[in-house]
């Protein structure tokens, strides 16, 4: 078997094109927006700049890297996508500018795989065109989001309609979304507990769907909404996938979506490590530069090794997705590892920067606030650990070796 980490000339050209676009076009715009505080002072101007960046990206052929060409995308496989996402996320605006940001990106995959032709035209097409936004409503305040068999939002059938009542929260993007993918319990006595839920497409705004508030989080109030659903009526044609397929659909969505998060987190961690090294080469204390001190070198070395591990894990999981192999174990391990690596590397970088790292004069403080959610959203650490341990124990029981549960690699 061939193990080849080099890029084809075509892919290398794409990667360079994305990198140049981020450095030459997005970053300067981002810096101007930040310097003038345009996001807070003039929302209209802010979105005007973002939309203009999108137009330029599309003209440059960097648009929808995760989607097939027939949907206007770049037609990349997941390994190739890893390169592009990791370049795009060097700027916090990059994924949005290239229209591959969460949760739209995961919703596009979901619609492509599960949508009927009509649903694709109505919901997927505008997402791909960049003329609409979407959200995914699964988590509820009253039951553990880690266990979707507990979902209480309930739907019953009334003729050709489904009537849904429930309570959701942390619905990212709901405030500006043109539609939601909503997960509700429709089956009272399913064969499997996981087969109780069904997904629906909800046009927004709509009677029966009320946004109570945008939840203020540790990085401010940034578009995660609490939603009360009361007698929401949906025609049966709004069902996405079949009855009781909600859990399967969620799992299908989360595989590539979790890995895409990892690709973007790698970019963030690399930025933090670059900053850590840069600072250590310029800060002088107790007779030498910080870069010459063993305590600082250990932080740099640990971060470099963890970033390397993260990249290998992401590439291998992406490779398995591309080959149509079962990727759940690898994506789960990558999601857990990369999320924690990101938090550790940013934290070390803040440490090396001292008070400056704690200030908002560098992006590190903001990055740290954002990074914290990575350890529980889209699968909490402990739940991934539980599944990884279950798979490892089962592998030993079934095959007398844990090898198949550690990536099933040929070493
Ligand atoms: C910024 C952000 C954006 C989000 N966006 C969305 C979105 O768009 N749509 C959406 O539906 N949801 C979204 N979520 C919600 C997210 O998916 C949930 O937070 C996540 O699924 C965990 O659910 P929970 O918060 O109810 O925690 P809980 O399930 O209550 O878990 C609490 C803790 O218990 C631990 N735990 C659970 N089970 C076990 C176990 N078996 N063993 C040991 N420990 C365990 C967990 O690991 C966790 O640490 C978002 C969350 C955040 C913070």
């Amino acid at each position: 078997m061939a193990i080849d980490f080099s890029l084809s000339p075509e892919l290398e050209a794409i990667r360079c094109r994305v990198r140049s676009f981020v450095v030459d076009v997005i970053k300067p715009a981002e810096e101007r927006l930040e310097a003038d505080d345009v996001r807070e002072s003039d929302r209209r101007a802010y979105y005007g700049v973002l939309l203009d960046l999108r137009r330029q990206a599309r003209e440059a052929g960097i648009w929808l890297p995760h989607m097939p060409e027939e949907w206007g995308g770049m037609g990349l496989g997941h390994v190739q996508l890893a390169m592009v996402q990791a370049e795009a996320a060097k700027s916090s605006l990059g994924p949005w500018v290239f229209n591959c940001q969460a949760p739209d990106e995961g919703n596009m995959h979901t619609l492509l795989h599960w949508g009927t032709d009509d649903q694709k035209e109505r919901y997927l097409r505008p997402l791909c065109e960049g003329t609409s936004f979407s959200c995914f409503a699964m988590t509820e305040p009253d039951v553990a989001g880690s266990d979707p068999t507990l979902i209480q939002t309930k739907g019953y059938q009334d003729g050709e309609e489904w009537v849904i009542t429930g309570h959701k929260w942390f619905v990212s993007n709901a405030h500006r979304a043109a539609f939601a993918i909503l997960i509700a319990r429709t089956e009272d006595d399913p064969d499997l507990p996981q087969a109780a839920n069904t997904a629906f497409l909800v046009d927004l705004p709509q009677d029966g769907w009320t946004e109570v508030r945008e939840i203020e989080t540790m990085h401010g109030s940034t578009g995660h909404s609490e939603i009360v659903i009361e007698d929401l009526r949906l025609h049966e044609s709004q069902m996405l996938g079949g009855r009781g397929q909600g859990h399967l659909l969620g799992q299908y969505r989360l595989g590539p979506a979790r890995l895409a998060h990892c690709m973007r987190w790698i970019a963030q961690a690399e930025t933090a490590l670059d900053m850590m090294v840069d600072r250590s080469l310029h800060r002088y204390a107790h007779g030498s530069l910080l870069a010459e001190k063993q305590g600082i070198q250990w932080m740099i070395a640990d971060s470099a090794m963890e970033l390397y591990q993260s990249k290998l894990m992401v590439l291998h999981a992406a490779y398995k997705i591309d080959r149509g192999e079962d990727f759940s174990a690898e994506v789960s391990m990558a999601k857990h590892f990369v999320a924690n690596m990101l938090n550790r590397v940013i934290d070390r970088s803040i440490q090396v920067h001292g008070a400056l790292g704690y200030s908002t004069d560098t992006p590190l403080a903001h990055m740290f606030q954002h990074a914290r959610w990575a350890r529980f959203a889209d699968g909490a650490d402990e739940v991934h650990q539980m599944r990884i341990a279950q798979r490892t124990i089962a592998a030993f029981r079934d095959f007398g070796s844990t090898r198949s549960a550690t990536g099933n690699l040929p070493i």
Side-chain angles (χ1 to χ4, degrees):
M1 91 180 248
I3 299 177
D4 187 354
F5 287 97
S6 60
L7 299 184
S8 68
E10 296 77 30
L11 187 55
E12 182 58 23
I14 292 176
R15 186 164 74 143
C16 291
R17 201 145 46 90
V18 177
R19 180 174 292 178
S20 306
F21 194 90
V22 170
V23 172
D24 300 336
V25 183
I26 302 182
K27 286 233 174 201
E30 192 176 46
E31 279 159 21
R32 280 197 304 276
L33 289 171
E34 267 165 31
D36 301 340
D37 201 18
V38 179
R39 187 183 174 135
E40 298 311 320
S41 61
D42 189 347
R43 296 296 273 189
R44 213 181 154 84
Y46 178 74
Y47 284 112
V49 172
L50 293 195
L51 289 173
D52 188 54
L53 288 172
R54 273 193 160 191
R55 182 190 54 74
Q56 293 183 57
R58 213 169 167 178
E59 277 171 18
I62 314 171
W63 184 250
L64 296 171
H66 58 295
M67 289 299 282
E69 286 174 6
E70 61 267 31
W71 285 91
M74 294 169 74
L76 303 176
H78 286 83
V79 171
Q80 300 167 333
L81 185 59
M83 327 279 175
V84 173
Q85 287 270 26
E87 294 296 339
K90 285 284 169 65
S91 150
S92 61
L93 296 178
W96 196 90
V97 170
F98 301 137
N99 200 5
C100 57
Q101 75 287 0
D104 290 331
E105 172 237 13
N107 289 344
M108 288 185 213
H109 277 302
T110 309
L111 283 162
L112 187 65
H113 187 77
W114 294 84
T116 62
D117 287 346
D118 281 352
Q119 289 171 341
K120 284 183 194 169
E121 276 311 314
R122 195 156 150 213
Y123 297 101
L124 180 57
R125 182 76 63 195
L127 274 188
C128 293
E129 291 290 330
T131 54
S132 89
F133 300 106
S134 62
C135 60
F136 188 82
M138 185 158 90
T139 305
E140 302 183 355
D142 301 330
V143 288
S146 304
D147 184 354
T149 65
L150 303 175
I151 281 176
Q152 291 180 344
T153 295
K154 199 146 172 34
Y156 69 87
Q157 203 163 9
D158 180 19
E160 290 184 352
E161 288 185 327
W162 282 87
V163 186
I164 301 178
T165 294
H167 191 178
K168 300 285 180 184
W169 80 339
F170 274 91
V171 184
S172 305
N173 225 22
H175 195 61
R176 61 183 72 88
F179 71 93
I181 297 178
L182 169 66
I183 306 292
R185 187 180 179 91
T186 55
E187 312 306 308
D188 282 333
D189 198 14
D191 291 342
L192 288 172
Q194 295 90 330
N197 301 330
T198 299
F200 294 91
L201 288 159
V202 185
D203 290 305
L204 298 177
Q206 180 161 174
D207 286 347
W209 172 285
T210 306
E211 183 179 1
V212 179
R213 60 172 175 149
E214 279 192 78
I215 299 158
E216 183 149 340
T217 67
M218 61 189 276
H219 63 273
S221 174
T222 51
H224 312 292
S225 299
E226 180 175 348
I227 309 288
V228 168
I229 300 165
E230 222 168 354
D231 291 334
L232 173 70
R233 287 190 165 265
L234 300 172
H235 190 264
E236 59 189 2
S237 60
Q238 295 300 98
M239 189 181 283
L240 179 61
R243 273 182 79 152
Q245 299 284 301
H247 183 76
L248 266 184
L249 179 141
Q251 290 303 307
Y252 178 85
R253 177 184 186 279
L254 281 175
R258 279 176 179 148
L259 204 62
H261 279 316
C262 294
M263 296 167 189
R264 294 187 286 262
W265 294 337
I266 281 174
Q268 291 282 298
E270 202 161 71
T271 300
L273 179 56
D274 286 352
M275 291 177 69
M276 191 191 313
V277 174
D278 190 30
R279 181 71 175 172
S280 73
L281 285 169
H282 293 94
R283 197 70 165 171
Y284 183 90
H286 302 290
S288 64
L289 289 169
L290 294 185
E292 292 163 43
K293 313 218 179 267
Q294 197 176 44
I296 302 292
Q297 288 171 355
W298 284 353
M299 284 196 259
I300 292 171
D302 286 346
S303 303
M305 288 187 287
E306 290 171 23
L307 194 50
Y308 176 45
Q309 285 168 280
S310 299
K311 290 179 180 181
L312 289 177
M313 289 174 96
V314 167
L315 286 175
H316 185 235
Y319 161 91
K320 291 198 86 164
I321 298 180
D322 280 346
R323 286 169 62 94
E325 294 177 16
D326 182 5
F327 55 80
S328 40
E330 287 73 17
V331 169
S332 188
M333 287 193 278
K335 196 275 166 177
H336 182 288
F337 190 83
V338 181
N340 282 275
M341 177 279 301
L342 175 69
N343 277 274
R344 286 192 296 268
V345 174
I346 298 174
D347 185 44
R348 290 182 196 125
S349 192
I350 289 174
Q351 191 69 13
V352 171
H353 280 75
L356 175 64
Y358 195 71
S359 79
T360 53
D361 287 359
T362 82
L364 288 169
H366 198 51
M367 284 162 65
F368 200 36
Q369 285 171 314
H370 270 275
R372 188 60 185 84
W373 74 280
R375 290 190 50 213
F376 51 84
D378 282 0
D381 276 2
E382 294 75 13
V383 178
H384 283 295
Q385 284 168 291
M386 177 177 75
R387 299 269 177 251
I388 293 163
Q390 284 168 346
R391 286 192 190 97
T392 310
I393 294 164
F396 185 78
R397 281 214 181 104
D398 294 346
F399 309 116
S401 163
T402 56
R403 200 177 127 200
S404 63
T406 56
N408 205 16
L409 290 158
I411 53 171

